Amino acid sequence: MKLYEELVWRGLIKDISSEELENKLNNEKITFYWGTDPTADSLHLGHYSSLITAKRLALAGHKPILLVGGATGLIGDPRPTSEREIIKKETVLKNIEGIKNQVDKIFEGKAEIVNNYEWMKDYSFLDFLRDIGKYINVNYMLDKDIISRRLETGITFAEFAYTLIQGYDFLHLFREKNCVLQAEGSDQWGNITTGLELIKKIEGKEAYGFTMPLVLDKYGNKFGKSAGNALWLDKNKTSSYELYQYLINVDDSMVIAYLKIFTFLTREEIEALEESNVKEPHLRLAHQALAKAIITDLHGEAEYEKALKISQSLFSGNIKDLNLEEIMEGLKDIPHFNLELNVSLIDLLVNNSIMNSRREAREFLTSNALSINGEIVNDENLIINDDLLIDGKVLIIRKGKKKYYMGLK
């Protein structure tokens, strides 16, 4: 398959500005850009779906420019429901550095990274209105989907003008970097077309744009959202183990689509995994391939192997196979309790509400359904002391097959 056909097969094309785009992508080497505003000091998995498409274009020989919106980030892209909170300049600067480091790592230092604050900071308001504002009709802006949806509830002038600034970004990169293509998520189509309009009216030339569908889960929620929280690309905010757990548990009906979007596996490899997903879903080979591809690309193979080790050890109950760091990473969200030493096991269980009663505790003990640090215990009179702790700090209790509790000294 040529590049454009592969993008279509992978479900990565939603809107295109011109039929000529297919020829540009298949037969030329062009400069393109993808941009994001620094609303946090890390990108999340939703951003990654667009970044991996940009990386796909780069590997096909096209030149990538990654724009971090230091200027647009100070205003905020209009949301469908309400105005974004204004971010302090100091926060924006901090966020930019975090995002630049992530992008640079994903592209292995081979993408040019730019900040639109550099060309907007000295552009006076009057000059911007004269040079840019006069070329875009208000009615044209009102027809933008994101703006029209906000008219009933209200939209500030700052948000209303956002599309002009992003449009100018495209014009600036067209002039200075010979950038002829912008590729973004589908929610940015209105901003892309503003840039195309400016290039056409001011330069008298044609540029191109395409959008990728927003990646959603089975229920229509944005991919990478877990209990209302983003899954961050920064492993200090979302560990490789947490990312692994999310990916290994995505719905069976969605995993093949995600393999097409997020991995560089070939069509033949993905179709083989699709067959396995139908015939032997319990093996979760497609899910494993998805987790391995994403985590390895973001954090390296060692992080994937660590996440896999933690997952397998916790599933089997072999806590003893993990070091303290791995235990804290894998079990950070389980119930914690303050550990009292020199008490009997049964008192520990009841006093910390791990068991509802001494009778219940004895039932678990006699049926070998309770373990400490991966070892089955059945002695209710066992005294909890320093010798039982991992690194002298932690005691892990497993109740039944799935319930874990962490005692901290």
Side-chain angles (χ1 to χ4, degrees):
M1 285 186 290
K2 290 189 174 182
L3 177 59
Y4 186 83
E5 287 72 24
E6 182 179 356
L7 294 175
V8 171
W9 174 75
R10 290 181 180 273
L12 297 173
I13 300 285
K14 185 177 187 294
D15 304 293
I16 61 170
S17 63
S18 168
E19 296 296 332
E20 293 181 26
L21 179 64
E22 181 175 353
N23 179 61
K24 292 285 181 182
L25 290 176
N26 285 343
N27 302 312
E28 298 182 25
K29 303 302 179 188
I30 62 175
T31 299
F32 71 97
Y33 94 93
W34 172 87
T36 186
D37 285 341
T39 54
D41 60 2
S42 171
L43 299 174
H44 55 67
L45 211 54
H47 294 117
Y48 183 65
S49 64
S50 296
L51 275 173
I52 205 69
T53 300
K55 188 173 183 177
R56 211 178 294 281
L57 266 61
L59 291 173
H62 301 293
K63 180 184 176 182
I65 297 175
L66 286 304
L67 183 150
V68 182
T72 39
L74 293 172
I75 297 170
D77 197 359
R79 292 190 298 186
T81 53
S82 61
E83 185 176 5
R84 293 183 187 274
E85 184 178 343
I86 294 294
I87 305 175
K88 293 180 180 179
K89 287 186 178 181
E90 297 78 13
T91 303
V92 169
L93 290 174
K94 175 178 175 291
N95 292 349
I96 287 173
E97 288 308 307
I99 291 172
K100 285 171 65 176
N101 291 335
Q102 288 179 342
V103 168
D104 200 46
K105 183 177 180 182
I106 291 170
F107 281 81
E108 299 172 339
K110 297 175 183 177
E112 182 177 2
I113 302 174
V114 298
N115 178 357
N116 60 13
Y117 185 74
E118 295 303 315
W119 57 81
M120 289 301 301
K121 62 183 179 181
D122 297 322
Y123 207 157
S124 76
F125 181 63
L126 286 176
D127 286 342
F128 185 77
L129 290 180
R130 284 169 57 87
D131 298 343
I132 305 303
K134 69 176 182 177
Y135 287 100
I136 300 297
N137 190 285
V138 169
N139 291 338
Y140 173 84
M141 295 171 68
L142 290 173
D143 283 338
K144 301 288 185 184
D145 179 62
I146 197 69
I147 293 176
S148 64
R149 281 191 282 169
R150 285 285 302 280
L151 291 179
E152 193 169 314
T153 57
I155 184 170
T156 64
F157 179 76
E159 288 182 297
F160 182 67
Y162 181 98
T163 189
L164 291 180
I165 301 176
Q166 192 178 129
Y168 176 67
D169 288 343
F170 199 173
L171 174 63
H172 175 86
L173 293 175
F174 180 88
R175 287 170 168 172
E176 302 297 323
K177 307 283 186 181
N178 193 30
C179 178
V180 298
L181 170 66
Q182 183 179 1
E184 302 282 355
S186 60
D187 57 344
Q188 295 299 309
W189 180 243
N191 295 323
I192 291 176
T193 54
T194 298
L196 297 175
E197 190 79 0
L198 287 172
I199 292 168
K200 183 177 181 180
K201 287 184 175 180
I202 297 174
E203 299 296 316
K205 297 179 180 179
E206 185 174 10
Y208 306 90
F210 81 86
T211 65
M212 299 151 269
L214 295 180
V215 184
L216 306 175
D217 66 16
K218 178 182 178 180
Y219 304 102
N221 302 311
K222 287 185 178 180
F223 182 78
K225 297 288 186 178
S226 178
N229 299 312
L231 291 177
W232 302 101
L233 304 192
D234 182 345
K235 67 180 181 181
N236 295 314
K237 294 166 75 75
T238 298
S239 70
S240 297
Y241 170 74
E242 289 174 296
L243 194 53
Y244 178 88
Q245 286 301 308
Y246 179 86
L247 296 170
I248 203 70
N249 288 300
V250 298
D251 194 270
D252 288 1
S253 66
M254 305 299 292
V255 68
I256 301 304
Y258 296 157
L259 282 170
K260 292 178 181 179
I261 294 168
F262 288 98
T263 80
F264 291 96
L265 296 177
T266 65
R267 182 170 187 165
E268 292 74 22
E269 289 170 327
I270 291 175
E271 287 176 349
L273 289 168
E274 184 173 19
E275 184 176 355
S276 172
N277 193 47
V278 172
K279 293 183 177 180
E280 44 192 14
H282 59 285
L283 297 181
R284 304 194 80 70
L285 296 183
H287 298 74
Q288 289 282 0
L290 179 68
K292 183 175 183 179
I294 292 179
I295 296 171
T296 301
D297 189 53
L298 289 174
H299 306 311
E301 189 171 351
E303 279 292 314
Y304 168 73
E305 293 296 337
K306 183 175 79 169
L308 182 61
K309 175 188 174 185
I310 294 172
S311 180
Q312 291 176 340
S313 296
L314 293 181
F315 181 77
S316 64
N318 293 328
I319 299 294
K320 59 183 178 296
D321 293 340
L322 302 176
N323 59 39
L324 182 59
E325 179 186 346
E326 291 167 339
I327 289 171
M328 298 304 290
E329 182 174 327
L331 295 175
K332 72 175 187 177
D333 293 327
I334 66 170
H336 289 38
F337 62 92
N338 291 323
L339 189 59
E340 183 183 355
L341 297 180
N342 301 315
V343 298
S344 69
L345 173 59
I346 198 165
D347 286 336
L348 178 78
L349 295 173
V350 175
N351 292 345
N352 291 286
S353 300
I354 297 170
M355 301 292 181
N356 293 320
S357 65
R358 301 174 76 86
R359 178 182 175 183
E360 183 188 30
R362 291 190 180 99
E363 289 174 354
F364 272 84
L365 289 166
T366 55
S367 60
N368 293 328
L370 193 90
S371 66
I372 292 179
N373 299 337
E375 299 286 351
I376 293 175
V377 293
N378 45 39
D379 180 5
E380 66 180 77
N381 297 314
L382 175 70
I383 300 301
I384 304 301
N385 56 36
D386 279 314
D387 294 339
L388 294 174
L389 307 188
I390 299 172
D391 285 4
K393 298 177 181 178
V394 172
L395 187 82
I396 303 297
I397 295 174
R398 187 189 194 199
K399 175 184 176 183
K401 292 185 177 181
K402 294 183 179 180
K403 290 187 177 181
Y404 283 95
Y405 302 83
M406 180 183 295
L408 299 172
K409 182 178 175 182

